[in-house]
Amino acid sequence: MKKKKADAKLPFYIKVGDTAIGFGKNSRQNDYLSFKKARKNDMFLHINEFSGSHVVIFNDQPNNEEILTAAEICLILSNKTVGDVQFCQVKEIKKGTDQGKVQLNSYKLITLNKIRSDTYNLLLHQKRFDN
């Protein structure tokens, strides 16, 4: 039983090329991903103006494909198909007062009008991070 309890905090990830894109599915996983697993120059993404998953691109210079895929994951995990996604380096976020909440010092927005089927397919192959 201990393993299951420990796994509850571990976020998920997919790979785009050689780059891992991690995401949480609850506040505990979001905190672990953003404040324990991510490095300060990795890219952080979150749906704008809604509660949702934290998404981290484990690359300090992600390409357009990695950013687009991560932004689409933000929407999918928020049960949306269109919307705005905030993105910035992890060093631009700070922990909020509640678990899973963050404040962004500065960010850019990406607006998505659809989600590609390839991104849905990638999510079928998600894995959990190891400790």
Side-chain angles (χ1 to χ4, degrees):
M1 284 288 175
K2 267 190 172 183
K3 177 123 174 86
K4 247 189 195 291
K5 197 171 193 177
D7 282 353
K9 76 173 181 182
L10 294 176
F12 297 84
Y13 74 95
I14 53 104
K15 293 281 248 179
V16 175
D18 291 332
T19 299
I21 298 175
F23 49 93
K25 294 185 178 181
N26 60 46
S27 60
R28 191 172 184 190
Q29 291 173 2
N30 285 343
D31 270 1
Y32 182 84
L33 177 69
S34 298
F35 300 107
K36 300 258 188 232
K37 197 79 174 160
R39 301 167 305 222
K40 68 178 182 173
N41 289 327
D42 290 335
M43 296 301 293
F44 172 87
L45 294 92
H46 191 277
I47 190 166
N48 191 38
E49 297 184 5
F50 291 98
S51 294
S53 294
H54 294 192
V55 177
V56 173
I57 304 170
F58 289 89
N59 184 340
D60 59 354
Q61 295 182 339
N63 62 38
N64 289 341
E65 177 64 22
E66 293 161 349
I67 293 170
L68 179 58
T69 300
E72 289 175 334
I73 290 169
C74 283
L75 291 182
I76 292 168
L77 296 177
S78 299
N79 297 313
K80 307 240 184 258
T81 55
V82 298
D84 293 329
V85 175
Q86 305 164 315
F87 68 101
C88 63
Q89 287 186 308
V90 170
K91 66 184 174 187
E92 295 296 328
I93 66 171
K94 68 178 188 176
K95 200 169 187 148
T97 55
D98 296 327
Q99 186 175 36
K101 303 284 185 189
V102 296
Q103 294 178 341
L104 283 67
N105 295 324
S106 67
Y107 60 88
K108 294 180 182 178
L109 278 181
I110 182 170
T111 299
L112 300 176
N113 297 313
K114 68 177 184 172
I115 297 173
R116 300 167 299 167
S117 60
D118 288 352
T119 303
Y120 286 109
N121 290 335
L122 277 173
L123 285 173
L124 295 175
H125 304 287
Q126 63 188 297
K127 299 176 183 173
R128 280 198 189 264
F129 282 103
D130 294 327
N131 279 331

